[in-house]
Amino acid sequence: MTEDTGTPTPGLEVGPTSEFSLFFRVLDGQGPSLRAALLELQGTPGYRPGDYGMAIKTIHEARFVLFDDDTRLAFITSFDGPWDAYMEDFFTSGPTLALFDVIFGHVEGYDGLPDLAAVRAFVLGAEQTAAAYARNYPGTVKEIRKAQRVNAAFQQVLDHPQAAEALGHPAMQPLLDEAAD
Amino acid sequence: MTRVDGTPDVALELEDIQAGALYERPSPYVGTYLLLRIVDRTDGRELVRRLHRIANPAGGADSAGATSLTVAFTYRGLEALGVPQESLDTFAPEFRQGMAARAEILGDTGESAPDRWEEPLGTDAVHVAIAVLSSDEEQLAAVAEKARAAQTELPGIELIWKQDCYQLATGRTSFGFKDGIGQPAVEGSGRPATDARERPLRAGEIILGYPDETGELPPMPSPDVLGRNGTYIVFRKLHTRVAAYRSYLRARAATRAEEDLLGAKMVGRWQSGAPLAVSPDADDPELGGDPRRNNDFGFGDDPRGFKCPVGAHARRANPRDALDDEGSVDVRLHRMIRRGTSYGPMLPDGVTEDDGVDRGIVFVFAGAHLRRQFEFVKTQWLNDGIFIGAPLESDPLVGPHHEPGSFTIPQRPIRRKLQDLPPFVTTRGGEYCFAPSLSALRWLAELDT
Ligand code: HEM
């Protein structure tokens, strides 16, 4: 039965995005195997350099950090929305669970799947809310992706031989202002 | 029967579950909501004893039928009946707090704030909620009379609020739309799914005491006899500003047809109920009225929302397959049974001047998880737009719009953006309740604390 582990602290927010950091102790002697597992993770789709397509579409970035001579592990990310509202979703939908099982098998307190309540308590127990958090751009991942698509399209327009003419209409002025560099 | 994943179908104890949570009300119908206050504990228990005799089990002979009476209690109500504290403490935290205490979270601020609510909604005086729905006035009167009789000669029980409601034969609500179409099917309820793409929900999503979609038992109040076969109920009296809605559309549309289109884009369905996902360009009343087809669709083929805007009310409230590849959300964890009804007279067709009359819906939710069902849908999907990449937009129809909102209607060649959306819905009050099983009603009546 799912125990109510109390309301998790939701993490600091900047605009629509909230920070999410977990800290774990690595099981005795598992430092090397965890490092190997993370190296392997780095080669999987989404984590492969240049992929930009993580399984969870609503996180901006994610990192796993081994520290204190590989005796501790941090997982640090930024999520669009209040992550506490999505706790159950993370642990019932595929990508997170699969990832967790591979990585967190190497840390203390993880008793393995499929006990959802235990996994949830384990994660909440590891969460530490940031003392300070800032972002350098506003907006959700979805908006950033849209902005990138729009900019790519704009650059394509600018590359057209008649771009200046096409942007000559008064309605185009805001775009023309962005066209000069 | 076995499920796709091989686990056996659960057998719901239909004889013990109140019909209201699981089954459609009659349609068309008339009905009444009553709120009672328990001043005297002994009278309270006597009331529960009498209500137990007239409450309808889902397994009853007339479960599909003519009249239904559903009984639910607030936290204060259970307390007034003398439910022991160690048992009260096992209820969901949101239920223990009550709806008014959750107002900031739910977006019930400004005109919708609890200090503006209709008396006695949101106060500690609300203990028992009774819904009586019937297919005709006469039967309603008969059952309402029984409910009233249950309360008469009990000086320790006060009737503190009454709200009549109805549903027109057309099924239309105050804004003109047919409501109550999109509903999940529930395993073991014996009712088939209307959306072939949506496997029936595991019973524990709606009824306590059964495994839910996470594969576990929902947190259940103890003792077992009190929690099992019960469900949480949310009711909200929502005033609809129909004249404001109509004039808003009129000011932005050249023709009546365009008004209808804008309205449909806001809702995600045409007034007849026909889904935009199936009939994007024009209403199709035959489709709207066909229960085999009017809920059988997805959004997967329309990720950008050209047919049904991603911000439309019904698409927000149930994104169906639209979020399947997000990796962070499982739509099945955020479903609900809705049992809303209309109140107040319709604003006559074509009128755009406010007549000052109160009209709207009594929104009713049934489900096992207040937080991840009702509150999640309300806060993440209706009041916010982060999940669709539009953090500044909220639900065009029911969003709080504390600051004038906007609504994007994707269309080629250029999207349309509706600006300065005022609030069309204000909260007049509401409460979180618990509708216990029939055996729990008996248990409550026999308390001797
Ligand atoms: C005055 C306020 C509201 C009005 C007028 C309204 C109206 C409607 C209409 C016309 C539909 C489409 C017909 C249907 O599928 O039944 C609908 C669907 C729905 N609404 Fe609302 N609604 C209101 C408030 C709410 C609230 C507060 C919630 C939840 C917190 C909600 C949740 C839903 C859900 C879950 C659906 C079904 C979506 C689907 O399965 O396709 N509604 N509503």
Side-chain angles (χ1 to χ4, degrees):
Chain A
M1 170 153 160
T2 325
E3 271 306 309
D4 198 324
T5 34
T7 320
T9 29
L12 298 189
E13 291 176 9
V14 172
T17 309
S18 51
E19 53 85 20
F20 184 49
S21 310
L22 303 177
F23 297 88
F24 306 96
R25 287 177 201 288
V26 178
L27 285 172
D28 251 358
Q30 300 256 327
S33 51
L34 177 52
R35 197 166 268 283
L38 289 169
L39 198 65
E40 199 165 311
L41 173 69
Q42 188 73 74
T44 59
Y47 277 83
R48 264 186 323 232
D51 258 15
Y52 302 117
M54 300 168 70
I56 299 181
K57 301 287 191 285
T58 44
I59 64 182
H60 289 252
E61 85 297 307
R63 78 193 64 176
F64 289 91
V65 183
L66 276 165
F67 61 109
D68 282 357
D69 293 330
D70 293 2
T71 61
R72 315 244 6 231
L73 172 74
F75 171 71
I76 297 169
T77 186
S78 288
F79 177 77
D80 287 334
W83 57 259
D84 59 315
Y86 287 88
M87 283 299 273
E88 283 87 354
D89 298 67
F90 287 142
F91 305 126
T92 53
S93 50
T96 324
L97 269 191
L99 184 78
F100 265 40
D101 217 27
V102 176
I103 305 300
F104 297 131
H106 300 277
V107 306
E108 286 177 14
Y110 181 70
D111 298 323
L113 302 172
D115 187 345
L116 187 71
V119 175
R120 193 170 179 272
F122 162 74
V123 169
L124 289 179
E127 191 263 338
Q128 297 289 341
T129 297
Y133 178 54
R135 302 187 60 74
N136 227 349
Y137 55 83
T140 60
V141 175
K142 279 199 169 73
E143 289 168 288
I144 304 300
R145 286 190 188 281
K146 168 81 177 173
Q148 287 181 335
R149 284 197 306 273
V150 171
N151 187 45
F154 183 53
Q155 295 305 323
Q156 228 177 311
V157 171
L158 295 185
D159 287 339
H160 194 279
Q162 273 118 45
E165 190 186 326
L167 293 176
H169 191 278
M172 295 292 184
Q173 192 59 49
L175 286 180
L176 202 56
D177 291 343
E178 292 291 346
D181 57 0
Chain B
M1 282 273 286
T2 50
R3 292 159 43 82
V4 192
D5 63 11
T7 51
D9 240 1
V10 285
L12 275 175
E13 292 166 5
L14 297 174
E15 296 302 323
D16 197 36
I17 297 167
Q18 293 198 58
L22 223 41
Y23 293 145
E24 282 302 335
R25 60 214 171 199
S27 173
Y29 60 79
V30 284
T32 301
Y33 298 96
L34 306 170
L35 293 182
L36 307 175
R37 172 167 182 228
I38 301 168
V39 184
D40 175 84
R41 182 163 292 176
T42 314
D43 281 0
R45 291 171 182 168
E46 179 55 29
L47 170 78
V48 176
R49 195 181 334 276
R50 295 178 188 181
L51 289 173
H52 170 257
R53 282 201 295 268
I54 52 177
N56 306 59
D62 62 347
S63 61
T67 306
S68 88
L69 180 138
T70 310
V71 185
F73 301 89
T74 64
Y75 178 82
R76 295 289 171 204
L78 295 178
E79 197 178 47
L81 285 171
V83 173
Q85 191 62 43
E86 62 271 21
S87 167
L88 290 172
D89 290 344
T90 58
F91 281 83
E94 303 77 29
F95 172 76
R96 282 182 267 147
Q97 290 175 34
M99 187 185 287
R102 310 285 293 170
E104 290 280 336
I105 295 166
L106 295 173
D108 287 333
T109 55
E111 273 199 78
S112 293
D115 58 5
R116 312 277 282 271
W117 285 3
E118 200 173 298
E119 277 287 309
L121 301 175
T123 71
D124 287 352
V126 179
H127 293 164
V128 188
I130 301 175
V132 191
L133 298 175
S134 178
S135 50
D136 67 66
E137 296 273 3
E138 232 165 273
Q139 294 204 43
L140 172 70
V143 181
E145 184 45 42
K146 273 198 222 168
R148 235 186 319 274
Q151 177 236 321
T152 50
E153 291 153 40
L154 293 177
I157 304 297
E158 288 172 7
L159 174 64
I160 54 173
W161 190 76
K162 180 171 180 292
Q163 176 67 61
D164 290 332
C165 65
Y166 65 91
Q167 186 198 43
L168 299 173
T170 57
R172 306 288 175 97
T173 52
S174 58
F175 287 127
F177 291 86
K178 184 169 164 155
D179 195 3
I181 306 169
Q183 303 277 14
V186 180
E187 261 186 20
S189 70
R191 302 294 158 101
T194 52
D195 176 4
R197 290 166 185 76
E198 186 178 57
R199 217 174 357 99
L201 293 181
R202 301 208 69 181
E205 287 298 309
I206 306 300
I207 306 292
L208 297 174
Y210 303 86
D212 64 22
E213 286 290 325
T214 69
E216 301 180 13
L217 290 173
M220 190 172 84
S222 66
D224 258 31
V225 59
L226 177 58
R228 188 173 169 76
N229 291 326
T231 188
Y232 288 105
I233 301 277
V234 175
F235 81 86
R236 285 162 75 74
K237 181 174 177 180
L238 300 173
H239 169 72
T240 51
R241 301 175 58 225
V242 179
Y245 166 80
R246 285 185 191 165
S247 13
Y248 181 86
L249 293 185
R250 185 145 306 171
R252 282 155 186 82
T255 60
R256 190 70 192 254
E258 193 185 352
E259 269 175 55
D260 288 349
L261 176 66
L262 292 180
K265 291 287 188 183
M266 284 188 187
V267 170
R269 290 182 182 269
W270 297 91
Q271 291 201 350
S272 73
L276 287 179
V278 181
S279 182
D281 301 319
D283 198 354
D284 178 349
E286 208 177 305
L287 168 63
D290 183 348
R292 284 171 302 121
R293 293 192 297 141
N294 67 10
N295 197 39
D296 198 5
F297 62 93
F299 300 117
D301 64 339
D302 184 27
R304 294 174 70 183
F306 290 117
K307 291 192 283 180
C308 177
V310 291
H313 172 66
R315 182 164 175 167
R316 283 171 173 269
N318 178 13
R320 299 178 188 237
D321 54 350
L323 307 177
D324 281 1
D325 63 357
E326 298 274 292
S328 56
V329 58
D330 179 354
V331 170
R332 297 173 64 79
L333 300 183
H334 311 291
R335 304 287 288 120
M336 63 181 73
I337 297 281
R338 286 176 305 138
R339 289 288 176 263
T341 60
S342 291
Y343 73 89
M346 292 293 262
L347 186 66
D349 208 31
V351 175
T352 53
E353 284 292 312
D354 186 20
D355 59 359
V357 175
D358 191 13
R359 58 174 61 83
I361 65 169
V362 176
F363 171 88
V364 177
F365 153 104
H369 300 272
L370 288 172
R371 197 175 71 90
R372 80 158 154 81
Q373 293 171 328
F374 171 71
E375 291 195 347
F376 180 96
V377 172
K378 175 75 175 134
T379 61
Q380 302 308 308
W381 287 351
L382 303 187
N383 292 359
D384 207 311
I386 292 175
F387 82 110
I388 50 169
L392 298 180
E393 292 191 0
S394 66
D395 190 298
L397 189 71
V398 313
H401 307 305
H402 296 307
E403 276 135 44
S406 62
F407 173 54
T408 305
I409 303 175
Q411 61 178 25
R412 292 191 169 95
I414 294 178
R415 58 99 178 101
R416 178 157 187 191
K417 201 160 195 164
L418 298 182
Q419 302 283 7
D420 300 320
L421 276 165
F424 294 124
V425 173
T426 44
T427 309
R428 285 282 154 92
E431 198 45 273
Y432 288 162
C433 301
F434 177 69
S437 68
L438 279 108
S439 37
L441 284 174
R442 203 176 315 123
W443 183 84
L444 287 167
E446 286 165 7
L447 277 171
D448 60 2
T449 46

